Amino acid sequence: MPKRRANGEGNIRKRKDGRWEGRYTAGYDPETGKRIIKNVLGKTQAEVKEKLKTAISESQQLDVSKAGAYTVSSWMKMWYEVYAEPRIRPNTKSYYTNYIESHIIPGIGSIPLDKLTTIQIQRFYNNLLKTGRVQRKNFPELKDKSLSPRVVRGVHTLLHNCLEQAVAEHLLLANPAQGCKLPQFEKEEMKILPQEKIGLYLAEAEKRGLLAAFYLELTTGLRRGELLALQWTDLDVENRTLAVTKQVNRINGELVVSPPKTRNSVRTLALPQQAVDLLIAERKKHPRNSYLFPSPKTGTMYDPDAFRRTHDKILKAIGTEHIRFHDLRHTFATLSLKSGVDVKTLSGALGHYSAGFTLNTYTHATAQMKQDAADTIGGVISQQMR
């Protein structure tokens, strides 16, 4: 039996076309046992010798029998099925599958995984920013086909994680997404429901039989999915607390109940007495229903989209500027800070992962708090100077 040439052994020769070639054993085919031979080319023997040294070093870091077996598309599908899907929440799956099927596979899916470069990925991101939005069937033709920086950054995070696993499995030497330049977030001006409009807003909600729901929202800052997934078993009337343990989202046309957004989102909220009184009155309207706020049409869980549309109608009825339903959460947070609620307590109520994140999110409110604090200490010191 002939002696196998060890991985890394190579030889150099001059070709008939005048160039120098270095050939080396990169590995062995696991099925046939045959050597996998690769080569490098150069104008001089010294150049090829240096290239050969680098190529041999790299081959020892790669699983050569598998490194060339995948395209970006086939590896992405493998990674999603094995590593991502079992570990993500149901509503996150819709984001992942959309990024993969609508953007990554059409954009760079056909490229061999081991040939993917940072420049190719960067161009892919640049194109997404300009023309990445997908035209949906039976929808009006898109006038603006650009994707938001937020979505592009989401695509990058997913692709980067996928390629990082390829590095861990010795399919790539390095992650080509690592050096890409990402678009800056376009920070939108935060909107809230004006304080002088809150009374009108709640009065209009009461006309629609939803005073308890919207009062609870404005006094807790719950996410819409958290609010609509609440059941009577989550309410502790005696201790005036509410357990937030689940949320509802519409995924592929179906309402899906899942754990909240993050681990910190599982929390227990303290309620004002008026909120408890309104909820007790609310239960008398539908005593046998398990949900705090069931749909008036179906008696089952309130559809998040229908609930949002009710919010939009209330805003229109009171003649105020349109804000998203999520901005009611911002309204709660802003008013809490301005009323002197400490940031750590507020962060826990909102389900944020840290008080620092809360501070960064509500800088518009905390800036005034800082000025008030400065004025207060300034007044104390000034009195001592008299």
Side-chain angles (χ1 to χ4, degrees):
M1 183 175 180
K3 180 183 178 182
R4 281 190 170 187
R5 178 173 295 178
N7 285 12
E9 289 186 9
N11 59 71
I12 299 175
R13 69 183 181 90
K14 192 171 185 178
R15 301 184 353 160
K16 291 181 180 180
D17 61 6
R19 291 186 296 172
W20 288 84
E21 177 186 33
R23 294 165 64 87
Y24 64 100
T25 300
Y28 290 86
D29 188 300
E31 295 183 3
T32 65
K34 292 182 178 180
R35 287 190 298 159
I36 299 173
I37 303 296
K38 293 197 173 186
N39 73 329
V40 295
L41 298 173
K43 293 181 180 180
T44 66
Q45 185 177 13
E47 179 188 354
V48 168
K49 188 175 181 180
E50 193 62 34
K51 284 185 175 179
L52 190 61
K53 181 181 178 182
T54 301
I56 290 172
S57 175
E58 291 181 351
S59 72
Q60 292 171 346
Q61 299 175 53
L62 290 175
D63 184 344
V64 182
S65 64
K66 296 179 181 178
Y70 294 98
T71 61
V72 173
S73 176
S74 60
W75 173 249
M76 176 66 71
K77 291 176 181 177
M78 172 77 75
W79 171 81
Y80 176 76
E81 178 185 347
V82 176
Y83 295 102
E85 187 177 21
R87 294 167 176 80
I88 56 179
R89 294 176 294 113
N91 55 318
T92 304
K93 290 180 183 180
S94 64
Y95 283 106
Y96 274 39
T97 54
N98 177 53
Y99 289 163
I100 293 169
E101 296 171 6
S102 299
H103 302 303
I104 296 174
I105 289 178
I108 56 174
S110 61
I111 300 173
L113 180 64
D114 60 347
K115 303 297 182 185
L116 184 65
T117 66
T118 301
I119 289 178
Q120 288 172 319
I121 297 174
Q122 187 67 63
R123 285 176 175 162
F124 167 57
Y125 292 163
N126 295 346
N127 289 334
L128 286 182
L129 273 175
K130 294 177 182 177
T131 59
R133 187 172 297 181
V134 177
Q135 176 67 54
R136 294 184 182 181
K137 291 182 180 180
N138 303 320
F139 274 72
E141 186 174 350
L142 292 171
K143 294 181 180 179
D144 180 8
K145 295 185 179 181
S146 62
L147 273 184
S148 70
R150 179 186 62 81
V151 173
V152 175
R153 292 177 74 100
V155 170
H156 166 75
T157 298
L158 188 152
L159 180 61
H160 183 279
N161 291 344
C162 174
L163 296 177
E164 200 66 22
Q165 188 63 43
V167 173
E169 298 195 16
H170 305 289
L171 303 177
L172 294 173
L173 285 172
N175 188 336
Q178 187 68 44
C180 290
K181 305 298 181 183
L182 302 179
Q184 294 296 317
F185 275 120
E186 295 175 352
K187 196 167 184 179
E188 296 181 6
E189 182 182 355
M190 188 177 294
K191 295 181 178 179
I192 64 172
L193 182 64
Q195 195 166 344
E196 65 274 12
K197 295 283 187 179
I198 291 177
L200 292 173
Y201 183 92
L202 291 175
E204 197 64 34
E206 185 173 18
K207 292 179 184 177
R208 290 169 164 76
L210 288 169
L211 174 60
F214 285 102
Y215 184 91
L216 185 63
E217 173 60 32
L218 285 166
T219 53
T220 60
L222 286 164
R223 299 177 180 96
R224 179 177 47 167
E226 295 171 341
L227 179 72
L228 299 181
L230 288 171
Q231 295 181 292
W232 292 112
T233 51
D234 299 320
L235 176 66
D236 184 335
V237 173
E238 184 178 349
N239 293 307
R240 293 193 297 164
T241 60
L242 190 65
V244 182
T245 61
K246 52 195 172 297
Q247 65 177 358
V248 61
N249 290 283
R250 182 170 290 283
I251 301 173
N252 298 324
E254 300 292 330
L255 293 182
V256 177
V257 177
S258 62
K261 188 176 181 181
T262 64
R263 186 179 299 175
N264 297 87
S265 296
V266 177
R267 58 204 189 277
T268 299
L269 302 176
L271 300 180
Q273 185 60 52
Q274 189 171 356
V276 175
D277 293 341
L278 287 171
L279 290 173
I280 292 172
E282 182 70 21
R283 188 166 195 180
K284 293 178 181 178
K285 299 177 184 177
H286 39 83
R288 296 182 180 179
N289 202 300
S290 61
Y291 291 106
L292 262 67
F293 311 114
S295 167
K297 292 183 178 180
T298 64
T300 57
M301 184 181 292
Y302 215 122
D303 185 295
D305 292 331
F307 197 74
R308 174 189 53 77
R309 287 193 293 271
T310 298
H311 160 74
D312 293 342
K313 291 174 182 177
I314 291 174
L315 293 175
K316 188 175 181 179
I318 65 175
T320 192
E321 178 187 10
H322 182 268
I323 61 171
R324 303 168 305 162
F325 181 86
H326 193 75
D327 291 322
L328 297 181
R329 178 173 165 86
H330 295 325
T331 302
F332 160 76
T334 301
L335 293 179
S336 295
L337 288 170
K338 288 183 176 180
S339 300
V341 175
D342 70 272
V343 175
K344 189 171 183 180
T345 298
L346 176 61
S347 181
L350 292 170
H352 286 168
Y353 65 86
S354 73
F357 178 81
T358 306
L359 276 170
N360 185 58
T361 304
Y362 297 101
T363 51
H364 69 291
T366 55
Q368 184 59 50
M369 291 173 64
K370 290 176 183 178
Q371 186 61 58
D372 291 343
D375 291 342
T376 298
I377 192 63
V380 172
I381 300 301
S382 294
Q383 285 182 354
Q384 303 307 312
M385 295 173 65
R386 293 175 184 174

